[in-house]
Amino acid sequence: LPLPPPADIHSSSLLLIRPHAIKENKLGHILAHVAEAGFTIAGLQMVQLTRPNAFEFFEVYKGVVPEYSDWVEEIVGGKCVAAQVKGRTTYSAVLFLALLDGFGTRRTALCSLLA
């Protein structure tokens, strides 16, 4: 999908699919789960983050999350897919992404309610 127009950025959230999921061929499963939960994938782009990009992306977690350094190392270790996810509101998309752990299968019903 093409990158979204700038106006859509304020009504959506980022889902960053990490390198291990890409390497394990789980991209389709993850995107299907997002769609099944009632969200729209408005844009996709495969990216390779540099170390400075990764440090900047995870900066809010530095000193807060013990896994910060591990996250940076993983994210620069391969290609990621950045997906623009839209729900009925930005708030619902943010909540969905916060609840989506692993594949989020335990929380599908709740995520569907937020769509």
Side-chain angles (χ1 to χ4, degrees), residues 28 33 39 42-43 49 54 72 91 110:
H33 181 72
F39 293 87
L49 292 178
V72 169
Y91 183 65
L110 179 58

Side-chain angles (χ1 to χ4, degrees), residues 78-102:
K79 295 196 184 283
C80 301
V81 171
Q84 179 189 9
V85 177
K86 296 183 75 171
R88 283 190 288 252
T89 67
T90 301
Y91 183 65
S92 66
V94 169
L95 282 175
F96 170 76
L97 296 176
L99 291 170
L100 187 64
D101 58 352

Side-chain angles (χ1 to χ4, degrees), residues 1-5 8-9 12-18 22 26-35 39-48 80-86 97:
L1 294 172
L3 291 175
D8 286 349
I9 291 173
S12 58
S13 290
L14 168 68
L15 169 61
L16 187 64
I17 302 167
R18 301 181 306 178
I22 303 302
K26 295 180 178 176
L27 177 60
H29 180 76
I30 294 168
L31 295 178
H33 181 72
V34 171
F39 293 87
T40 302
I41 304 294
L44 287 172
Q45 183 172 4
M46 186 167 279
V47 295
Q48 175 73 52
C80 301
V81 171
Q84 179 189 9
V85 177
K86 296 183 75 171
L97 296 176

